Amino acid sequence: MKWAPFSNRQTGDLNRVEAPVTLRGYLLCAFAAFGGILFGYDSGYIGGVLGMNYFKLQFGHSGSTDPSAYHGYLYDTWQKSLITSILSCGTFFGALFAGSLADWIGRRSTIIAGCMVFSIGVILQVASTTVGLLVPGRLIAGIGVGFVSAIIILYMSEVAPKAVRGAIVSGYQFSITIGLLLASCVDQGTHNRMDTSSYRIPMAIQWVWAVILATGLFLLPESPRYFVKKEQLDKAAHALSVLRGQPVDSQYIRDELAELVANYHYEIENMRASWLDCFRGGWKPSGNLRRVCLGMAMQMMQQWTGVNFIFYYGTTFFQQVGMKNSFIISIITTVVNVCSTPISFWTIEKLGRRSLLIYGAIGMLVCEFIIAIVGTADSGSQAANMCLIVFTCIYIFFFASTWGPAAWVVIGEIFPLPIRAKGVALSTASNWLWNFVISEITPYMVDSDEGNLKSKVFFIWGATCTLCVFFAYFFVPETKGLSLEQVDRMLEETTPRTSASWVPHDTFADQLTRADVDKVTSGMGAAHFEKAKDLGSSSV
């Protein structure tokens, strides 16, 4: 395990619910994180495109007096807002639909379908010369991104070994940052072109990431927990064998499969898997309603940190406050984002999810208030602009190493298997809903002919980050080092503030004898399905 971060909260026989991590298994699980590049690039390229002179000439109209206009040509604020935010509108509905689709056709197949939908949206964007075609293209691409962003987290959480699950899911956020960086670099390379290739090249490159992701996932196994949910135990055993690097008949595979079966039938006795069941159970720690509210609020708070203001509107915002080389500054912020995220691969397993969220929010709010205070007191000066660049980079460092990955990790861990796909979908939809709201209203807050807040907008982000601190302290449980089934038990027995001290004391399959476990997990044929259900029920 020297090649990977590691977290464990159990010893002895409880470790047998999962095989030791192998490098091959780790890399297989980590590949799914590539989906973040598609998400990040698609979110990041539009900010640079909006700042391109030819794009302003092609999609804008004459007569603008805004200092960022090109020879008087500029799009309206509502067009800028719509072009940016419509992607989030599509992803919101895509994420919700994907929750049902993932339970129907599987996690892997849903992601591949999302890549196909996304490709249609890319074609429309590349073909566009007016806002009227660009907006539908962004909307359709957003639906595909919604499929991918929701189900990638679900897939990774279900296939990753518990000891490195946080690090692997954090790789998704790292891929998002790489996508943002690639988008900035491509924008920088084409923004001086005075023809349609200036914006069509950045748009077309999106398709490459979709092809790589879909092809790679086609070669990866389906989630074994999906097969357990479908009671296809032979396929579940084979998927576990591939992911864990163990023979299909090894004792590790048998033990882990027995635990998955026992846990699933324990949960299914108390709930169904409908959308309505996501809102049952009340406000008790183990209630589905509380878990769904936690997941949705987690993603809302991630958006309230304000970081997407920088990645969506950074180029045009830096132009509006009078800074030169806005494209270069945007690249610097994305480089900081990329370089900071890998820190979380280690800290999220060693310090835990809860600690990262609390201290990350504190670091962000300090930076945001400094930017706002200095920018207000000495607006437009060289010192204020330098403060803006430096503390924006520090602020991004805190986000990228804490809230960026940790929010995605937590939503992949807190839901029971019967509603996990729908719970993650609702949480991801919340991310995109607030992403849409923020990207829609931000131009009206900062554009010179609207709110013209300039650096004062960071007072708003500082205040919302303050709320993030209290949210993380009072509502977020510590889930590091536990299997998804053990997280389910922990949530039943603790509160968020006592969760870090909880350790597993038994398994769902504890009441199964060795012979019973072998019966559940040997053969794996259809004749054993009913026996597996009986044994799973008897374990509780």
Side-chain angles (χ1 to χ4, degrees):
M1 284 297 300
K2 293 181 179 179
W3 41 265
F6 181 79
S7 176
N8 198 16
R9 287 164 70 173
Q10 52 224 316
T11 57
D13 290 340
L14 291 178
N15 270 323
R16 291 192 64 85
V17 298
E18 195 171 272
V21 184
T22 65
L23 178 59
R24 178 177 177 272
Y26 182 87
L27 294 176
L28 282 173
C29 298
F31 174 80
F34 186 87
I37 291 183
L38 183 149
F39 173 8
Y41 186 93
D42 197 47
S43 300
Y45 90 86
I46 195 65
V49 165
L50 288 170
M52 293 179 180
N53 288 333
Y54 189 82
F55 186 86
K56 296 173 184 176
L57 187 66
Q58 179 70 48
F59 289 82
H61 56 80
S62 62
S64 174
T65 58
D66 190 286
S68 64
Y70 177 68
H71 296 318
Y73 280 85
L74 191 64
Y75 34 75
D76 293 326
T77 295
W78 72 266
Q79 292 175 312
K80 173 184 176 182
S81 174
L82 180 62
I83 291 169
T84 304
S85 63
I86 197 65
L87 176 82
S88 303
C89 183
T91 51
F92 171 79
F93 291 105
L96 288 179
F97 182 66
S100 294
L101 195 62
D103 279 339
W104 179 34
I105 66 173
R107 284 64 162 133
R108 186 185 63 167
S109 298
T110 301
I111 299 168
I112 294 172
C115 292
M116 296 172 64
V117 174
F118 176 79
S119 297
I120 296 172
V122 171
I123 292 171
L124 294 179
Q125 291 177 66
V126 173
S128 66
T129 56
T130 64
V131 174
L133 186 57
L134 177 60
V135 168
R138 294 268 293 168
L139 177 65
I140 294 172
I143 294 173
V145 174
F147 278 36
V148 173
S149 61
I151 308 307
I152 277 284
I153 294 297
L154 173 65
Y155 178 78
M156 294 173 69
S157 298
E158 290 193 340
V159 304
K162 67 180 185 296
V164 292
R165 186 178 59 245
I168 287 175
V169 178
S170 294
Y172 175 71
Q173 178 66 23
F174 181 53
S175 294
I176 293 175
T177 66
I178 293 175
L180 289 166
L181 177 60
L182 290 171
S184 293
C185 292
V186 173
D187 286 344
Q188 169 65 18
T190 66
H191 78 279
N192 285 326
R193 291 172 176 254
M194 290 307 295
D195 55 39
T196 59
S197 67
S198 61
Y199 65 86
R200 281 178 166 159
I201 290 175
M203 291 176 179
I205 289 176
Q206 298 174 92
W207 184 73
V208 175
W209 317 131
V211 170
I212 294 174
L213 177 63
T215 302
L217 279 175
F218 186 77
L219 302 175
L220 289 179
E222 178 58 86
S223 164
R225 287 175 169 91
Y226 168 75
F227 286 133
V228 168
K229 185 179 174 71
K230 293 295 185 180
E231 297 184 348
Q232 298 174 353
L233 302 188
D234 49 348
K235 294 182 179 179
H238 176 72
L240 279 173
S241 174
V242 174
L243 292 167
R244 303 294 183 250
Q246 299 281 336
V248 73
D249 59 349
S250 77
Q251 200 60 60
Y252 280 116
I253 300 301
R254 291 172 179 268
D255 285 347
E256 184 170 358
L257 184 56
E259 177 70 359
L260 297 186
V261 171
N263 172 258
Y264 175 64
H265 289 289
Y266 168 79
E267 291 172 336
I268 206 66
E269 282 187 352
N270 299 290
M271 72 181 79
R272 297 293 108 186
S274 69
W275 284 102
L276 184 60
D277 284 291
C278 294
F279 303 97
R280 298 190 189 277
W283 203 246
K284 59 183 180 181
S286 62
N288 288 349
L289 175 62
R290 184 183 180 98
R291 298 191 200 194
V292 167
C293 289
L294 171 61
M296 294 175 68
M298 175 70 68
Q299 291 298 307
M300 177 184 72
M301 291 293 180
Q302 190 199 56
Q303 290 301 306
W304 279 9
T305 61
V307 73
N308 277 338
F309 165 70
I310 300 298
F311 295 125
Y312 283 169
Y313 296 113
T315 302
T316 54
F317 175 73
F318 293 139
Q319 290 175 347
Q320 289 169 341
V321 297
M323 300 180 70
K324 299 179 180 180
N325 300 319
S326 59
F327 281 88
I328 297 297
I329 296 171
S330 292
I331 290 179
I332 292 173
T333 59
T334 53
V335 168
V336 172
N337 197 25
V338 171
C339 294
S340 303
T341 302
I343 296 172
S344 68
F345 295 0
W346 188 267
T347 57
I348 203 164
E349 301 295 3
K350 293 304 178 182
L351 301 180
R353 290 67 157 147
R354 179 180 165 85
S355 297
L356 285 191
L357 292 169
I358 293 172
Y359 295 118
I362 292 173
M364 285 189 287
L365 74 87
V366 169
C367 292
E368 288 166 332
F369 281 127
I370 290 175
I371 293 171
I373 292 170
V374 174
T376 301
D378 196 15
S379 179
S381 70
Q382 184 176 354
N385 288 343
M386 183 59 66
C387 174
L388 173 63
I389 296 172
V390 171
F391 281 95
T392 294
C393 289
I394 298 174
Y395 154 56
I396 291 172
F397 163 79
F398 278 111
F399 174 84
S401 58
T402 60
W403 274 82
W408 292 110
V409 171
V410 170
I411 68 166
E413 297 176 329
I414 59 176
F415 298 106
L417 180 57
I419 65 160
R420 185 171 295 141
K422 295 178 176 67
V424 174
L426 285 167
S427 302
T428 306
S430 173
N431 178 289
W432 288 111
L433 172 64
W434 289 101
N435 192 308
F436 171 78
V437 170
I438 290 172
S439 58
E440 178 72 19
I441 66 175
T442 297
Y444 294 98
M445 293 192 292
V446 299
D447 279 7
S448 59
D449 58 344
E450 300 289 345
N452 198 27
L453 289 180
K454 296 185 179 179
S455 295
K456 296 185 186 71
V457 72
F458 283 92
F459 279 121
I460 297 174
W461 308 136
T464 52
C465 271
T466 302
L467 293 177
C468 290
V469 176
F470 290 102
F471 170 78
Y473 180 78
F474 287 107
F475 296 108
V476 178
E478 183 53 70
T479 56
K480 73 169 183 175
L482 303 174
S483 71
L484 296 181
E485 290 67 38
Q486 289 166 344
V487 170
D488 191 55
R489 179 63 60 83
M490 179 268 291
L491 290 174
E492 293 179 352
E493 299 178 357
T494 68
T495 64
R497 283 180 285 176
T498 61
S499 58
S501 60
W502 185 88
V503 293
H505 45 79
D506 59 13
T507 70
F508 286 98
D510 267 347
Q511 295 183 26
L512 296 178
T513 66
R514 178 82 272 148
D516 288 337
V517 171
D518 289 341
K519 288 177 183 178
V520 172
T521 58
S522 65
M524 308 304 174
H528 295 272
F529 286 172
E530 292 304 316
K531 183 62 176 176
K533 287 193 288 185
D534 292 340
L535 290 170
S537 298
S538 71
S539 71
V540 297

